[in-house]
Amino acid sequence: MTLSTLLGSIELGLIFAILSLGLFIAFRILDLPDLTVDGSFVTGLAYSAIWSVAKNPAMGLLMGALGGMLAGIVTGILHTKLKIHAILAGILTMTGLYSINLFVMGDKPSVFFYGEKTVFTPFEGKFFIGTTDIGKLILLFIIVVVLVAALKLFLMTQVGLSLRATGDNEAMVRSSSINTDAMKILGFALCNLIVAFSGAIYAQYNMTATHGVGTGMLVLGLASIIIGETVIGKRGILRHLIAVVIGSIIYRIMLAVAFGLGLPAIYLKLFSAIIVVIAISIPLIKPTIARWRKIHAGN
C-alpha cells in the first residue's frame, strides 16, 4: 500500500467516523435502531452539493446538518407519538427522504461541482508529507477531534446524562419525571444531524453528490463501531468515542487492502456485512478459544 493510498484511507475513515459517531448516539446511547441514516446521509450530501454549486460551501454543511436533524425529528415523532416501532419509523422516513433528496438535487441523480470552492480549499496546497498534500487530512482531523470533544462534554451534561439514562433504563427514567419521548426525539435528531454532516463533508471531499450513495451507510457505521469496540474497548464515554473513530479508520484501511488484493467493487457491501458478523462474533468466540487452550495446555 502506497503512502497516498494509506492517507486517502485515513481521510475517508475520518469522514465516516463522523457518521459512526452519529450512529453511536442511536445504537449505543439510546439502544434504538435507526434506519433513517441511509437517507439522512444523502440529505447532507444533496444540500452540500447544491450550496457548493451556489458558491457557499459552509452554508452547505450547515443546511445539510439541519436537514438531517429534521429527518431525525420526524423519525422520533413517528416512534414516540404515533407508537411506530423504531425500525419501521426509520424505514418510513428513509423512504420519504428518497424523493425529498432528489427534489433538493433538482431531480438529478448526480450533481458535479468540480472546480468549485469547498471547505477544503483553504487547506489545499499548504501542508505536505513528501509530495503528498495532507491539507484535507488536517481539516478532517480537526473536525473529528472537535466533534468527539463536543459529544463528550454534551453527554456529561444533565441533558446528556438523561439521554444516556433513557437508553439504559427507560422505566426508571420515566419514574424520575424525565420526558423520555423528548429524549428519544433528541437522540434521533442528534444522530441524523451528525450523519448528514458527514454526508455534507463527503460531498465536498469528492466534489460530487450521487443519490444512491447512501445505501449501506448503516452497515458501514455499525462495522466501524463494532471494530473499534473490539480493538480499543468501550470503558468510559471518551474511550468509547475514540474507539468508534479508530474503528472507522481501521475499516477503511481493511477495505483498501482488500481492493489492493483484487476485491471487485461489487462485493463491497458483502465484505462489509462479513466484517460486521466477524467483529460481533469475536467476543463470543474468545471464551471458547480460552477454554480450548486451557484444556489442551493441561494435556
Side-chain angles (χ1 to χ4, degrees):
M1 181 185 296
T2 64
L3 176 61
S4 178
T5 302
L6 176 61
L7 292 177
S9 298
I10 295 174
E11 287 172 355
L12 286 172
L14 290 171
I15 292 174
F16 291 113
I18 299 171
L19 177 145
S20 301
L21 288 169
L23 272 175
F24 174 81
I25 299 295
F27 279 86
R28 287 294 185 253
I29 299 298
L30 277 181
D31 195 26
L32 287 173
D34 186 9
L35 275 65
T36 314
V37 296
D38 279 12
S40 60
F41 183 85
V42 181
T43 299
L45 198 83
Y47 276 108
S48 183
I50 295 303
W51 279 97
S52 294
V53 170
K55 303 186 185 304
N56 197 339
M59 183 61 73
L61 297 185
L62 176 62
M63 294 302 295
L66 290 177
M69 182 185 71
L70 290 175
I73 290 173
V74 170
T75 299
I77 291 174
L78 291 175
H79 174 57
T80 58
K81 303 304 180 184
L82 299 184
K83 306 303 178 185
I84 299 175
H85 192 280
I87 294 177
L88 180 56
I91 291 173
L92 290 172
T93 306
M94 178 181 63
T95 303
L97 284 174
Y98 183 90
S99 297
I100 293 172
N101 293 336
L102 270 177
F103 174 78
V104 172
M105 294 171 68
D107 293 330
K108 300 176 183 177
S110 299
V111 175
F112 302 94
F113 49 101
Y114 296 112
E116 299 289 347
K117 289 185 178 181
T118 69
V119 292
F120 294 102
T121 302
F123 287 79
E124 293 175 345
K126 295 180 179 178
F127 308 95
F128 291 90
I129 293 180
T131 58
T132 305
D133 188 349
I134 60 168
K136 290 182 177 181
L137 178 62
I138 290 174
L139 177 58
L140 289 169
F141 180 77
I142 293 171
I143 291 172
V144 170
V145 168
V146 170
L147 180 57
V148 167
L151 283 175
K152 169 65 166 60
L153 292 174
F154 168 73
L155 292 172
M156 297 303 293
T157 64
Q158 185 171 353
V159 175
L161 290 171
S162 298
L163 187 68
R164 292 163 62 184
T166 300
D168 289 337
N169 193 329
E170 183 178 345
M172 181 192 72
V173 171
R174 193 181 294 113
S175 66
S176 302
S177 301
I178 295 175
N179 190 332
T180 56
D181 284 356
M183 289 297 104
K184 288 181 180 180
I185 292 173
L186 172 63
F188 280 119
L190 186 58
C191 166
N192 287 281
L193 181 151
I194 297 172
V195 168
F197 182 64
S198 173
I201 292 176
Y202 184 70
Q204 295 192 30
Y205 178 83
N206 286 322
M207 293 186 178
T208 182
T210 304
H211 186 264
V213 77
T215 304
M217 288 298 133
L218 176 66
V219 174
L220 185 154
L222 280 176
S224 301
I225 292 172
I226 294 169
I227 290 171
E229 291 173 349
T230 302
V231 174
I232 306 298
K234 50 185 179 180
R235 289 185 179 180
I237 286 296
L238 181 58
R239 181 172 179 176
H240 207 161
L241 292 171
I242 293 173
V244 172
V245 175
I246 298 298
S248 181
I249 294 173
I250 292 173
Y251 175 73
R252 294 308 308 188
I253 292 174
M254 290 171 65
L255 283 183
V257 171
F259 285 137
L261 294 174
L263 177 72
I266 60 172
Y267 295 124
L268 173 61
K269 305 301 182 184
L270 176 61
F271 180 80
S272 301
I274 292 173
I275 291 298
V276 171
V277 172
I278 293 173
I280 291 174
S281 302
I282 287 175
L284 302 176
I285 295 173
K286 277 184 177 179
T288 303
I289 295 175
R291 286 195 300 269
W292 183 84
R293 285 181 176 176
K294 187 175 181 180
I295 292 171
H296 285 268
N299 296 333

